[in-house]
Amino acid sequence: MKSLVAFFEIPATDFDRTITFYESLFGVKLEQMDCGHEKMAFFPAEDGICPGAISWSSEFSFKPSAQGVLVSLNHESISYAIPVIEKNGGEILIPKTKIEADNRGYFCVFMDCEGNRVGLYSNK
């Protein structure tokens, strides 16, 4: 079965700050594209497919929200990620928590620097 996530977009009001937040958190470089009324910064491809992007637009409704869809991203180590999140203007909403199902690892939920609620999953 294919992954059920086709693509995700994380809205931003401060595009550059949000890029810095996620590049710091995951230790990656996001590829930016400026389309005039819309800007996107793409996460690195996985198996040749880009999983998602940071999105900003002067015309479309890309507004950060704590009440919107919860996207959960994989991370090597939640213990490492938590101080990076806090250092870059994020806030931990649910601390690192063991998932009760067998072999599922851990999760946490945080508010990013733009006010989006985002989850992390890790096997460690």
Side-chain angles (χ1 to χ4, degrees), residues 29 51 59 65 82 88 99 106:
K29 182 74 176 152
E59 295 180 17
S65 171
I82 287 173
N88 286 282
I99 299 169
Y106 299 84

Side-chain angles (χ1 to χ4, degrees), residues 13-48:
T13 52
D14 186 326
F15 189 64
D16 293 330
R17 177 181 67 192
T18 308
I19 290 169
T20 298
F21 182 92
Y22 284 97
E23 285 181 340
S24 297
L25 177 59
F26 290 106
V28 298
K29 182 74 176 152
L30 303 185
E31 182 181 336
Q32 297 181 44
M33 179 182 292
D34 188 338
C35 303
H37 66 276
E38 182 178 7
K39 295 180 184 179
M40 298 184 86
F42 298 95
F43 285 87
E46 298 174 354
D47 298 323

Side-chain angles (χ1 to χ4, degrees), residues 63-114:
K63 295 186 176 145
S65 171
Q67 305 307 315
V69 174
L70 177 63
V71 175
S72 293
L73 308 171
N74 287 311
H75 197 283
E76 287 294 315
S77 169
I78 291 174
S79 296
Y80 170 83
I82 287 173
V84 174
I85 290 166
E86 294 172 332
K87 177 182 177 188
N88 286 282
E91 174 187 355
I92 302 302
L93 302 176
I94 300 174
K96 180 179 178 181
T97 304
K98 179 157 180 31
I99 299 169
E100 294 302 321
D102 289 340
N103 301 318
R104 293 289 296 170
Y106 299 84
F107 79 98
C108 79
V109 176
F110 64 93
M111 189 80 65
D112 75 5
C113 62
E114 291 292 290

